[in-house]
Amino acid sequence: MSRAEQSAEVLIRAEGVGKSFGDGPATLSVVRELDLSIAEREVVLVFGPSGSGKSTLLSILGGLDRAFTGRLSLFGRDVTTLSDTELSVLRGAQIGFVFQAFHLLPHLSVLDNVTAPLWFAREHSPPAQAEARGREVLAQVGLADRAASRTAELSGGQRQRVAIARALLRRPRLLLCDEPTGNLDRATGEQIIDLFASVHQESDTTLVIVTHEERLARLATRTYHMVEGRLGEEPAA
Amino acid sequence: MRLRALAAMVGVDLRRTRGPLFTAGFGIAVGVAALAFFLSLGLGARKVLLGDVFPIDQVELEPQKTSAGLLSLLGGPHEPAGVDAPTVEHLRRLPGVAEVYPKLRFRFPSMAKGGKELLGREIGTHEMVGDGIEPELVAPEVPASAFLDPLPAATKPCAKSADCDAAQYCELPSGQTAGRCSAPVPAIVSRYLVELFDHAIAPAHGLPPVAETLVGRAQGVVFDMTLGNSLLGVARQGTERKVKVVVVGISPKAIDLGVTLPVDVVRRWNREYAGDAAADKFSSVVVKVNSAADTSHVLSEAATLNLMPKDTRARDVSVLITAVLSLLLLVAGVILLVAALNISHTFRVLVAERAHEIGLYRALGASSSDMRRWLTALALVVGAGAGAVGALIARLAALVADWRAAADLPDFPFKPESFFVFPPWLWALSVGFAALFALAGAALPARRAARTDPSVVLGRDR
């Protein structure tokens, strides 16, 4: 039993997870025989060079990519047995995503971007309540005054804050972040790292971050290195 | 995905993609406009041609004609076969038959003259044809009490019309010396005859049109009718005499060219001038069916009774209208098909352009069926909106066409006030058809959106 399992509920359990593209001799294995358990309140960092399979791993752990081998359970539920709708409901309610490219919707205001996840929520949220929650998370990321702005009017750091606010809207237990500081300058990246630290501290959200950014290591409870699809855990500092 | 959220997403998309969606919807609107316009024109044509001119839901049956050729000249006067009462009853019991009304044709020569008080001078015909029908069958158009044989109510004896009141005449059958003062015999005429008079005969003779006056006048128009003699000769029995006839209304059950009287009157006069056989058997029967689809089996049954349709123009016109309408609808169908392809192209481009947006939605909790529902709803709204606009365009085009027709086309028999019919179902059909074609066009792109792999499309932007 891992350290994580001894202390808290396991949110992610991967056993022999693999992912490859192509057939025969041209097969490209992106993730190889991966075993991983992540418990709640952990901050797991995955370092690795480009093309090492980090982002693919994150897609698999977030239930976006189902074409893998091995077993994966999220929040105690075997992903392979869930229907697309069941997995989508689980993803929408429990997992928040933060992407390197932000993926904001330019035709919507900042507030509408943040509340967009509620479009797909099964439970009903009255508009006033949704707006209040949106403003709450915007305040949490320091953008309370930009609710009515268009995303095109924001800086890179502000856009990533909006993306983080959107990811936090439905109070997810797990935040999956793919190179969250990859498109930001050093100072802005530092602010985002501080934001992740405060989010983790305030809400006990579990963070899994794949990154090149060594500075994020100060948040980590565990750190992995991924090379050619294989995951190697670094010893605790 | 909740309906409210779906509506919000569709609303946002309608605003941000209004250009391409307007273009895609325009094709649908044009196609539906053509469809609704042609359909309403077809319905209008059917209403006038098959409703008033050649009613499609009724057929007149008469005994099968036999030709004896030159032999008939040796056999004396020709006695046409008739339809007896049991045959009429048999027809009434056939499935699909709504009404059966027998007719008794004039079997005697006659002439008519009158109309001075209405037209300013007398008009007439030297060869009058007519028939008799049962009074209750004209009830929808004329009160049954106004269309009865007046003789049973006549009591005052007379030897000539001068013995009677001015409005009456002396009903004195051939060979009798004492008659009774009778009110004029009520008659109905067809709308066809009135239209023909108003648009062809009246203009040729400088006479005023009569349609409204004829129906509006409570007293009706009184004509003197000569029985037993006409331009072509005299009756084989009986003597020439004059009677009075008053037109009490216009009815589709009246004979097209001539007058229609209460059957008891015609029976009496037929007996007087052509003998008992001409009085006891009906000349033909008009069978009204529940729907046009019932006509063919009624005709089959009638054939077994040696009864044939007198006039097949209704069927011919119906086939002609259907053929022309089918051709026009085919054109509309092609337009709609092209529009559906246009919708398909627009939505395909939309899905391709928004691949990473779809990926994001999946990451935010949307299922693949949510994505399909989103695009399907968008297509539905575009299609239904375009359909409603198309139906409105068709209605406006019809109004303009009617306006120009009223101004530019000369008067002709049965010229309708509107050439188009827009029943409520046509509006629903237009919107439904447009939505259907839009959905068909968007089906494959929606499927593609549902199958978009979020990990692939989101990975592209890393």
Side-chain angles (χ1 to χ4, degrees):
Chain A
M1 188 176 278
S2 71
R3 279 182 325 224
E5 286 171 287
Q6 287 167 2
S7 57
E9 183 192 348
V10 174
L11 302 189
I12 299 174
R13 185 193 301 277
E15 295 171 10
V17 167
K19 167 85 181 177
S20 54
F21 296 100
D23 291 317
T27 302
L28 175 66
S29 293
V30 184
V31 177
R32 299 165 192 259
E33 294 300 316
L34 184 143
D35 294 315
L36 179 68
S37 285
I38 299 174
E40 60 181 341
R41 290 191 296 278
E42 279 200 280
V43 179
V44 176
L45 256 63
V46 180
F47 291 108
S50 293
S52 60
K54 304 189 300 294
S55 296
T56 305
L57 172 64
L58 211 63
S59 287
I60 292 172
L61 297 184
L64 291 176
D65 187 346
R66 305 185 74 178
F68 60 85
T69 55
R71 289 171 60 84
L72 172 70
S73 71
L74 293 174
F75 310 98
R77 301 180 71 181
D78 187 346
V79 167
T80 55
T81 63
L82 295 178
S83 69
D84 176 73
T85 303
E86 288 170 330
L87 183 56
S88 300
V89 169
L90 182 72
R91 189 168 52 233
Q94 307 278 20
I95 304 174
F97 286 90
V98 178
F99 302 98
Q100 179 180 355
F102 319 135
H103 290 312
L104 299 180
L105 300 168
H107 55 282
L108 297 182
S109 69
V110 165
L111 182 64
D112 288 340
N113 263 282
V114 170
T115 55
L118 294 175
W119 288 347
F120 311 108
R122 263 53 186 175
E123 68 277 11
H124 173 59
S125 297
Q129 192 180 320
E131 185 182 331
R133 175 61 186 155
R135 290 186 184 281
E136 187 184 335
V137 286
L138 275 175
Q140 195 178 346
V141 301
L143 289 176
D145 56 337
R146 303 308 298 267
S149 301
R150 293 277 154 181
T151 58
E153 299 163 7
L154 305 180
S155 67
Q158 287 173 321
R159 289 183 199 185
Q160 193 58 297
R161 284 169 185 272
V162 174
I164 293 168
R166 180 180 65 196
L168 295 173
L169 184 87
R170 297 184 68 189
R171 298 184 177 88
R173 296 171 70 192
L174 175 63
L175 209 56
L176 299 177
C177 310
D178 188 358
E179 302 280 10
T181 58
N183 277 358
L184 306 175
D185 60 46
R186 188 173 178 78
T188 311
E190 197 65 46
Q191 291 170 3
I192 295 299
I193 293 167
D194 290 343
L195 180 58
F196 279 127
S198 73
V199 164
H200 178 62
Q201 211 165 17
E202 288 169 18
S203 57
D204 283 341
T205 308
T206 302
L207 298 177
V208 178
I209 305 173
V210 300
T211 183
H212 288 100
E213 184 66 74
E214 295 287 345
R215 286 174 298 165
L216 278 161
R218 66 182 161 91
L219 303 178
T221 53
R222 271 194 292 163
T223 305
Y224 288 90
H225 266 276
M226 197 161 189
V227 180
E228 292 184 349
R230 292 187 194 283
L231 204 58
E233 186 174 358
E234 288 192 344
Chain B
M1 191 176 190
R2 300 179 69 86
L3 191 62
R4 191 191 184 101
L6 186 65
M9 280 184 80
V10 169
V12 166
D13 281 315
L14 288 175
R15 280 194 297 277
R16 67 190 280 219
T17 328
R18 54 184 174 273
L21 291 180
F22 176 81
T23 309
F26 180 75
I28 292 273
V30 170
V32 164
L35 179 84
F37 184 85
F38 292 145
L39 258 179
S40 66
L41 180 61
L43 291 172
R46 288 185 83 89
K47 185 184 169 198
V48 174
L49 289 174
L50 300 177
D52 296 336
V53 187
F54 311 114
I56 188 70
D57 62 343
Q58 67 180 42
V59 58
E60 185 168 357
L61 301 169
E62 61 182 8
Q64 196 161 14
K65 290 185 176 72
T66 52
S67 175
L70 287 172
L71 290 174
S72 65
L73 295 174
L74 305 173
H78 176 60
E79 285 294 341
V83 183
D84 55 21
T87 304
V88 172
E89 281 311 307
H90 181 81
L91 287 170
R92 280 196 171 118
R93 287 193 300 270
L94 288 180
V97 171
E99 286 177 53
V100 174
Y101 45 101
K103 288 186 167 183
L104 193 55
R105 204 160 297 143
F106 286 8
R107 295 287 304 282
F108 50 87
S110 65
M111 299 181 284
K113 194 165 72 172
K116 187 175 182 181
E117 74 278 16
L118 179 67
L119 303 168
R121 61 186 159 102
E122 291 207 322
I123 60 165
T125 174
H126 292 290
E127 197 61 53
M128 185 74 164
V129 293
D131 60 16
I133 61 172
E134 290 164 0
E136 59 266 30
L137 295 172
V138 298
E141 297 87 25
V142 180
S145 59
F147 192 69
L148 289 173
D149 180 1
L151 191 59
T155 51
K156 186 180 174 186
C158 60
K160 53 187 185 301
S161 289
D163 299 337
C164 304
D165 295 341
Q168 296 183 321
Y169 75 97
C170 186
E171 174 66 19
L172 182 62
S174 306
Q176 295 187 18
T177 52
R180 279 180 285 166
C181 289
S182 168
V185 174
I188 53 170
V189 293
S190 69
R191 192 176 158 220
Y192 182 82
L193 179 63
V194 175
E195 290 281 332
L196 193 70
F197 179 86
D198 283 354
H199 297 100
I201 299 171
H205 293 273
L207 297 169
V210 300
E212 287 180 22
T213 340
L214 195 66
V215 182
R217 278 171 59 105
Q219 300 293 322
V221 182
V222 179
F223 283 84
D224 287 326
M225 208 170 140
T226 304
L227 308 181
N229 193 7
S230 75
L231 181 69
L232 295 177
V234 296
R236 53 188 145 123
Q237 65 183 56
T239 53
E240 179 183 332
R241 64 187 179 95
K242 285 191 185 322
V243 297
K244 282 185 190 294
V245 173
V246 60
V247 178
V248 293
I250 299 171
S251 167
K253 290 172 184 121
I255 189 172
D256 281 349
L257 292 170
V259 290
T260 296
L261 311 179
V263 70
D264 288 344
V265 176
V266 180
R267 185 176 286 122
R268 186 152 42 81
W269 290 348
N270 273 0
R271 198 182 303 282
E272 180 182 342
Y273 290 100
D276 288 344
D280 294 338
K281 285 190 172 180
F282 296 106
S283 327
S284 64
V285 280
V286 174
V287 178
K288 192 163 187 178
V289 289
N290 290 326
S291 76
D294 292 319
T295 309
S296 61
H297 93 259
V298 168
L299 288 179
S300 304
E301 281 289 330
T304 64
L305 302 169
N306 277 331
L307 296 175
M308 301 300 289
K310 185 181 174 189
D311 186 354
T312 58
R313 283 177 299 175
R315 272 190 298 170
D316 298 342
V317 169
S318 173
V319 169
L320 187 68
I321 291 174
T322 305
V324 173
L325 193 59
S326 301
L327 202 66
L328 295 175
L329 291 181
L330 188 68
V331 173
V334 170
I335 297 173
L336 275 172
L337 198 66
V338 172
L341 290 175
N342 190 26
I343 285 260
S344 182
H345 174 72
T346 304
F347 274 72
R348 211 166 52 239
V349 171
L350 194 139
V351 168
E353 283 178 349
R354 298 187 185 177
H356 83 261
E357 188 174 321
I358 292 168
L360 173 70
Y361 289 157
R362 297 299 311 275
L364 297 181
S367 64
S368 57
S369 55
D370 285 338
M371 294 296 90
R372 186 184 290 117
R373 225 170 283 149
W374 164 42
L375 286 173
T376 303
L378 186 59
L380 191 70
V381 171
V382 170
V389 170
L392 273 176
I393 291 172
R395 187 72 192 98
L396 285 175
L399 287 173
V400 170
D402 278 339
W403 169 55
R404 291 314 314 161
D408 297 343
L409 290 182
D411 241 9
F412 56 83
F414 291 99
K415 183 181 177 184
E417 280 184 21
S418 172
F419 288 83
F420 302 87
V421 173
F422 273 86
W425 62 260
L426 186 57
W427 295 92
L429 182 86
S430 301
V431 173
F433 234 65
L436 197 70
F437 271 80
L439 286 177
L444 281 179
R447 188 161 168 257
R448 191 171 164 187
R451 289 183 165 191
T452 298
D453 185 338
S455 66
V456 172
V457 293
L458 291 174
R460 279 184 207 148
D461 295 317
R462 281 184 196 118

